[in-house]
Amino acid sequence: MNSNLKERISAVKKRIDQACAKVGRDPSLVRLVAVSKKKPAEMIRAAYELGLRDFGENYAQDLQAKAEALNDLRDIRWHFIGKLQRNKARSVAQIATLIHSVHSQDLVEKLDHICAETGPLSILVQLNISEEDSKSGIAPDALPSLMEKISVMPNLTCVGLMTIPPPVDDSEQVRPIFRQMRIIRDKLAAKHPQLTQLSMGMTDDLEVAIQEGATLVRVGTAIFGPRE
Ligand SMILES: *Cc1c(COP(=O)(O)O)cnc(C)c1O
């Protein structure tokens, strides 16, 4: 299993390097978040031993269980990428380096309240670019006022934006969505210079995302294999 994992990780790193080369970006500015959802803690440990440090989980309970099982790995960084329920916000805020999926004003207020006690927290706001009802996220129109609110919260910092595009057959179809993310970020960054991160791109579309400016790619299947 380990040699397989090693090969998969180097293949993903190669894809990242090639996508960066194509548009003249520095690969050290694209962080690989290995999405370990539904995979056992021991597989995460193996990936850590092969050099990965950033791992993404999308269920609060799984995040907590895996963080406990791996608490000897001092410099591991956990990213929360799933739909966050209010009643799980505290436990996630205490574990995660970055919450990618902040999808409502209500959740922003809850997190602000929590980190007044638990300390500073970095978040990304999840945007719903494709305006699909089924996808969660903030509408682009609502973003400027939400950013204003967050900017006066002493313990909460929004460092960027995240999106999950709808499933498509050809990754070129999501390019306009990723490009839109970049445009929205650039526009807001004039007023909010801490908005440096764009979390976009997964196994099937990481090249396109990187070409459009992704700084965090969330890759599951290409690293850990298919999920049941
Ligand atoms: C599962 C998941 C991923 C990883 O998807 P793959 O296609 O397996 O790379 C990325 N982001 C989010 C939010 C996910 O839930």
Side-chain angles (χ1 to χ4, degrees):
M1 180 191 94
N2 259 12
S3 68
N4 216 332
L5 188 60
K6 191 175 177 178
E7 278 163 28
R8 287 170 182 272
I9 292 171
S10 37
V12 169
K13 286 187 170 164
K14 198 168 164 195
R15 285 176 62 189
I16 293 172
D17 287 350
Q18 283 171 345
C20 285
K22 199 165 173 189
V23 291
R25 294 189 60 200
D26 175 354
S28 72
L29 300 178
V30 178
R31 198 189 290 190
L32 172 59
V33 178
V35 176
S36 46
K37 66 186 186 199
K38 299 203 171 124
K39 300 292 177 183
E42 286 321 302
M43 212 163 179
I44 301 173
R45 184 182 295 279
Y48 175 95
E49 282 163 4
L50 291 165
L52 298 189
R53 290 294 177 271
D54 293 274
F55 295 90
E57 287 287 333
N58 67 344
Y59 289 106
Q61 291 94 325
D62 293 348
L63 173 67
Q64 193 164 15
K66 291 177 191 179
E68 263 165 40
L70 299 169
N71 71 357
D72 56 314
L73 308 179
R74 284 283 152 211
D75 59 349
I76 195 167
R77 292 183 291 265
W78 294 104
H79 297 249
F80 191 77
I81 62 172
K83 187 154 188 174
L84 182 53
Q85 254 110 39
R86 282 176 64 88
N87 63 344
K88 297 291 187 309
R90 182 177 295 269
S91 95
V92 169
Q94 285 171 317
I95 298 168
T97 296
L98 183 63
I99 300 178
H100 292 226
S101 43
V102 175
H103 61 275
S104 71
Q105 179 167 325
D106 184 51
L107 184 57
V108 164
E109 280 159 12
K110 176 80 181 175
L111 287 169
D112 178 46
H113 191 71
I114 289 167
C115 47
E117 293 163 36
T118 59
L121 179 68
S122 292
I123 61 164
L124 304 176
V125 168
Q126 182 174 351
L127 275 193
N128 183 354
I129 300 273
S130 45
E131 314 271 349
E132 263 183 83
D133 292 341
S134 60
K135 291 278 167 203
S136 76
I138 304 260
D141 286 352
L143 187 59
S145 72
L146 183 63
M147 288 303 305
E148 289 302 319
K149 289 205 176 84
I150 299 171
S151 69
V152 297
M153 294 176 166
N155 295 296
L156 205 56
T157 308
C158 178
V159 296
L161 307 173
M162 178 269 217
T163 199
I164 307 173
V168 291
D169 297 326
D170 175 1
S171 63
E172 280 302 326
Q173 290 172 265
V174 295
R175 189 182 292 277
I177 293 177
F178 293 154
R179 185 162 295 171
Q180 195 58 29
M181 288 281 287
R182 168 78 174 268
I183 291 168
I184 292 170
R185 193 275 312 267
D186 288 352
K187 213 184 265 176
L188 278 170
K191 224 176 172 192
H192 305 283
Q194 76 286 359
L195 278 177
T196 56
Q197 304 298 310
L198 286 174
S199 170
M200 54 193 200
M202 316 196 281
T203 289
D204 292 334
D205 55 16
L206 70 90
E207 283 88 354
V208 177
I210 289 170
Q211 287 159 18
E212 297 301 329
T215 62
L216 293 152
V217 287
R218 311 178 307 266
V219 182
T221 310
I223 291 176
F224 295 113
R227 296 173 292 269
E228 80 278 356

